[in-house]
């Protein structure tokens, strides 16, 4: 029957012009609570990541490879939440749940691309820590500005290609049933479950490319930290061991939070994907970008100092 509907339509068009983003709850009381909760989280995320970017940009002491990648991670998280949360807040406040087909695919593209970019930057930061701890005498030579820019360009290129691949494949999917999305944004698995055409190619490509974009960097990060731990254990001084490990602790915490929530959602067959995974999706789409600035600045004296100089400098300018 679905094939007949598609043939009558005479094209590969999806058959829909819009979707309804119903969110996590249709109860007005719950929606009010969700609106203020997500608004608060969004504002905290924006302020936290903007402060990290400004502190690193304006403080020459932080113009090092580690903080260069951290600033780009903050920019990615800032762009990531701005892609999804403002639309969700408008839906919760105005009760207008409609998102156009083009708007949905645009949101999907940036969502997929930025998740991949986040992951690749974390892998690059792991390499930076490996060189700094395992080869400290060659760190300045190896992590040159040219290499840092090359690694970041590679991260952006791979993530853009990854996002385009899945977005273009999604344009071939036919939607001719319910257009209701019981979710907070246009997410890959949710859209595939709404499809009435064969999505085997989408799912196969998702698993294959996901293994390359996510599992390969994860394996690299694990191996990097195996070498890092071995190098730290060979350091004779206890204080030097603590200092070396403290430079990696924040990165390890962010990686654990990122992969822990991501694996809960995507490392499963499409047919088992259900609404219970919405909690995990909110974790990696909202909570993780909000927590990253706090994790990286909590015990980082360099960030503390840069933020203090930035805020005190702005306050002094206002007074004068």
């Amino acid at each position: 029957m679905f094939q007949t509907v598609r043939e009558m339509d005479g094209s590969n068009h999806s058959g829909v012009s819009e979707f309804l983003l119903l969110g996590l709850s249709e109860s007005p009381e719950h929606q009010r609570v969700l609106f203020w909760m997500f608004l608060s989280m969004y504002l905290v995320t924006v302020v936290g990541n903007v402060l990290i970017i400004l502190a690193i940009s304006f403080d020459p002491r932080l113009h090092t490879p580690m903080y260069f990648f951290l600033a780009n991670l903050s920019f990615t998280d800032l762009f990531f939440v701005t892609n999804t949360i403002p639309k969700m807040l408008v839906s919760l406040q105005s009760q207008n749940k409609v998102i156009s087909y083009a708007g949905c695919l645009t949101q999907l593209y940036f969502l997929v691309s930025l998740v991949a970019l986040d992951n690749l930057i974390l892998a690059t930061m792991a390499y930076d820590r490996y060189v700094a701890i395992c080869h400290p005498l060659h760190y300045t030579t190896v992590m040159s500005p040219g290499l840092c820019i090359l690694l970041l360009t590679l991260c952006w290129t791979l993530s853009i290609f990854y996002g385009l691949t899945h977005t273009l494949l999604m344009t071939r999917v036919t939607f001719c049933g319910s257009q209701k999305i019981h979710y907070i944004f246009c997410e890959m698995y949710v859209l595939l479950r709404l499809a009435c055409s064969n999505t085997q190619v989408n799912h196969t490509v998702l698993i294959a490319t996901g293994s390359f974009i996510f599992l390969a960097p994860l394996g690299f990060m694990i191996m990097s930290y195996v070498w890092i731990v071995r190098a730290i254990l060979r350091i004779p001084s206890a204080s030097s061991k603590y200092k070396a490990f403290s430079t990696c602790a924040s990165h390890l915490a962010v990686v654990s939070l990122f992969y822990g929530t991501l694996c809960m959602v995507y490392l499963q067959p499409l047919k088992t994907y259900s609404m219970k995974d919405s909690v995990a999706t909110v974790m990696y789409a909202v909570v993780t970008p909000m927590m990253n600035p706090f994790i990286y600045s909590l015990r980082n004296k360099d960030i503390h100092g840069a933020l203090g100089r930035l805020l005190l400098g702005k306050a002094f300018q206002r007074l004068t």
Side-chain angles (χ1 to χ4, degrees):
M1 185 180 97
F2 291 145
Q3 184 63 33
T4 303
V5 171
R6 191 171 184 176
E7 290 173 355
M8 289 175 63
D9 183 62
S11 68
N12 289 332
H13 186 261
S14 70
V16 300
S17 60
E18 60 187 29
F19 293 97
L20 294 177
L21 286 174
L22 300 182
L24 300 178
S25 174
E26 296 185 58
S27 167
E29 292 78 12
H30 291 167
Q31 289 185 4
R32 281 193 292 271
V33 173
L34 289 171
F35 172 82
W36 290 110
M37 181 181 76
F38 282 118
L39 177 61
S40 301
M41 295 170 74
Y42 178 65
L43 293 176
V44 170
T45 303
V46 169
V47 171
N49 282 288
V50 166
L51 285 176
I52 292 289
I53 294 170
L54 291 177
I56 293 172
S57 300
F58 289 104
D59 195 323
R61 299 175 184 84
L62 301 185
H63 292 176
T64 63
M66 180 176 73
Y67 293 113
F68 171 73
F69 293 123
L70 176 56
N72 280 276
L73 182 68
S74 292
F75 174 79
T76 304
D77 287 340
L78 185 62
F79 197 178
F80 186 89
V81 294
T82 302
N83 176 52
T84 54
I85 297 184
K87 171 60 182 173
M88 178 177 58
L89 294 174
V90 171
S91 298
L92 290 170
Q93 183 67 14
S94 66
Q95 300 300 312
N96 180 13
K97 310 293 184 182
V98 174
I99 184 171
S100 67
Y101 175 76
C104 189
L105 289 188
T106 301
Q107 192 179 73
L108 175 68
Y109 165 73
F110 284 112
L111 177 70
V112 172
S113 300
L114 293 170
V115 170
L117 181 59
D118 226 351
N119 170 70
L120 293 172
I121 291 177
L122 287 173
T124 306
M125 294 174 75
Y127 176 69
D128 172 75
R129 291 299 84 204
Y130 161 75
V131 176
I133 293 175
C134 298
H135 304 283
L137 299 179
H138 304 286
Y139 179 74
T140 305
T141 305
V142 174
M143 297 304 295
S144 63
L147 179 63
C148 292
I149 293 173
L150 178 63
L151 289 173
L152 187 64
T153 301
L154 182 62
C155 292
W156 274 95
T157 302
L158 289 174
S159 61
I160 289 171
F161 178 75
Y162 181 72
L164 282 174
T165 299
H166 291 293
T167 306
L168 291 175
L169 282 175
M170 190 62 71
T171 62
R172 301 176 64 252
V173 173
T174 302
F175 302 96
C176 49
S178 171
Q179 286 87 54
K180 295 181 178 180
I181 300 177
H182 294 272
Y183 230 57
I184 60 177
F185 47 74
C186 292
E187 199 273 337
M188 178 74 70
Y189 271 14
V190 174
L191 289 176
L192 290 178
R193 292 206 67 176
L194 291 177
C196 58
S197 59
N198 192 332
T199 60
Q200 187 60 43
V201 173
N202 298 72
H203 197 219
T204 301
V205 174
L206 186 64
I207 295 297
T209 56
S211 298
F212 173 73
I213 289 290
F214 293 99
L215 296 186
L218 176 61
F220 172 77
M221 283 187 274
I222 291 173
M223 288 303 300
S224 296
Y225 274 103
V226 169
W227 291 322
I228 287 172
V229 169
R230 290 175 61 185
I232 291 175
L233 291 177
R234 289 197 294 266
I235 298 175
S237 169
S239 61
S240 298
K241 285 182 180 180
Y242 175 80
K243 184 178 179 180
F245 180 76
S246 65
T247 64
C248 303
S250 299
H251 181 260
L252 277 172
V254 171
V255 169
S256 300
L257 182 61
F258 178 83
Y259 271 97
T261 55
L262 206 63
C263 290
M264 289 172 62
V265 178
Y266 293 110
L267 290 188
Q268 58 177 305
L270 176 59
K271 62 182 180 180
T272 66
Y273 194 72
S274 64
M275 275 300 296
K276 67 180 176 62
D277 300 298
S278 61
V279 176
T281 304
V282 169
M283 284 290 293
Y284 90 76
V286 183
V287 177
T288 301
M290 180 183 69
M291 292 301 298
N292 286 354
F294 293 100
I295 293 173
Y296 274 107
S297 63
L298 191 62
R299 299 173 61 187
N300 191 312
K301 294 181 180 179
D302 293 334
I303 292 290
H304 287 173
L307 287 173
R309 287 186 290 271
L310 176 68
L311 297 175
L312 289 174
K314 295 295 182 183
F316 179 76
Q317 288 177 4
R318 285 196 297 269
L319 289 173
T320 56

